[in-house]
Amino acid sequence: MRNPFLAGAAVVMTVAALAACGSSADGNGPEAAGAQRPAASGPAVPGPSATTPTASAPPAAPTAPATEEPVVPGPSVPAATAEGPKTPSDEITPATGTFTKKQKEYLEDRVPKGMDPAAVLQTGQETCEKLRYLVKVDRDTAVGVIATQEIPDAPAAVAGLCPQHQDLVDEAAYAYADGTHTGKTVRPGVYRSASPTTNCSWQIEGAGGKELASGTSDTGTSRKITIPKSARTFTSTGCYAWLAEGAKG
């Protein structure tokens, strides 16, 4: 999809004459999405983050080959879960072409008022393309970007548009992103770090803040840890995400 752009106008000043101003022109707006059009590519594939994960500017992970494969940009339209009135389902129609039944079901209650539904659909399709590509490059990274929410709204896109990737969403539900996890969010089991940085560190504490285990890694390679049943707090920094060994750790 193309974004509108403005061409700047040059202003020429003379000493004795009035200023003459140029003009601006708008480019073409977003293309209307027909059925199953390919997604656009964007910035680089996400990698690990040394802080609590966000969806912006992560360090580079596996380097994408020099092809036209999709990479991992941020969202090109507001998140479908954004607050505000939504377009009624019977009014969701593309400017040209038609939506498939599956696409209409995905778009229902997801198109903000005034937003082109084709743009919302394209964002979902791009999410599916990113996951498809990341699975080929490194499956752990594909799970990691869902666990860390680097690809916003991935579970909804998978459920509505590419259910073949549901296993990634299911595995991400049992993963830990960088940050501090306490109480019921701490689940015992064996975990491996996905795409850690060279400043990966972790700490496991029990009742009363007693340290049960801790460690660091400056190799950038995956490490395994065991979170015991007595753990009450798990803190991770620079390790990106910890994925459960087995279905649920």
Side-chain angles (χ1 to χ4, degrees), residues 65-216:
T67 68
E68 294 184 357
E69 292 284 3
V71 284
V72 181
S76 54
V77 299
T81 54
E83 296 297 328
K86 303 295 189 300
T87 303
S89 57
D90 59 351
E91 296 179 14
I92 298 176
T93 55
T96 61
T98 58
F99 290 135
T100 66
K101 180 180 179 181
K102 188 176 183 180
Q103 290 169 341
K104 287 181 179 178
E105 290 174 352
Y106 170 73
L107 291 171
E108 187 173 355
D109 199 33
R110 302 180 65 80
V111 181
K113 274 283 190 180
M115 173 65 66
D116 180 4
V120 177
L121 176 62
Q122 180 169 325
T123 296
Q125 291 172 327
E126 287 173 349
T127 291
C128 291
E129 286 298 298
K130 295 165 198 171
L131 293 176
R132 179 188 67 80
Y133 174 59
L134 287 173
V135 165
K136 294 194 300 182
V137 175
D138 181 53
R139 189 180 185 281
D140 280 0
T141 299
V143 176
V145 298
I146 299 174
T148 60
Q149 299 181 30
E150 285 197 47
I151 298 182
D153 215 25
V158 168
L161 299 174
C162 48
Q164 67 270 27
H165 295 315
Q166 186 61 46
D167 60 321
L168 303 178
V169 175
D170 294 343
E171 187 172 340
Y174 293 96
Y176 291 105
D178 269 345
T180 298
H181 307 269
T182 60
K184 294 182 179 180
T185 63
V186 179
R187 299 175 298 275
V190 178
Y191 295 82
R192 66 185 183 280
S193 53
S195 302
T197 70
T198 54
N199 294 305
C200 174
S201 64
W202 62 91
Q203 184 176 36
I204 303 171
E205 296 178 346
K210 179 182 179 181
E211 183 177 300
L212 303 179
S214 63
T216 61

